[in-house]
Amino acid sequence: EAQVVESGGGLVQAGGSLRLSCTASGFTLAGYTVGWFRRAPGKEREGVSCISAKDDSTVYADSVKGRFTISRDKDKKTVYLQINSLKSEDTAVYYCATDTTGSGYGCNDLPLYDYWGQGTQVTVSS
């Protein structure tokens, strides 16, 4: 069964760092636009970052610019989200999603994320 899997979440003190990973089974993330999202307690899901299939260009939400970095590994089978200078407001379940439809070749082309992971919890203690 094709699926997307996140890992790397945990409990971290404010100011600390984490690296989240996103991989796929049953297919590869190479060649697809991948996005990271998060849902904080009591809040709507928020788009955090995206890396495009087109040219690996990246997009970030204003709330995370300068602190989060999205990237792919060399063979493009894993997408990372490096999170630095963690704040309490970063506490959330983080989800990875990919657009295998090809609609969102670029991050600004309205990707249709059709595969979602189960999420990984990030908790920041103050």
Side-chain angles (χ1 to χ4, degrees), residues 31-33 53-54 98-114:
Y32 296 126
T33 291
K54 181 178 180 180
T98 188
D99 171 9
T100 67
T101 71
S103 297
Y105 194 46
C107 289
N108 294 318
D109 295 334
L110 300 179
L112 295 176
Y113 293 105
D114 53 340

Side-chain angles (χ1 to χ4, degrees), residues 44-90:
E44 297 285 321
R45 187 178 67 199
E46 172 191 21
V48 171
S49 185
C50 170
I51 187 163
S52 75
K54 181 178 180 180
D55 54 8
D56 285 346
S57 57
T58 59
V59 171
Y60 297 94
D62 288 343
S63 58
V64 306
K65 277 180 184 174
R67 299 188 299 121
F68 288 23
T69 304
I70 190 171
S71 64
R72 297 185 194 262
D73 68 345
K74 269 196 308 189
D75 61 7
K76 301 196 176 185
K77 292 182 179 178
T78 302
V79 172
Y80 300 106
L81 185 69
Q82 178 69 39
I83 308 175
N84 297 327
S85 303
L86 276 157
K87 305 175 181 180
S88 57
E89 52 262 45
D90 295 320

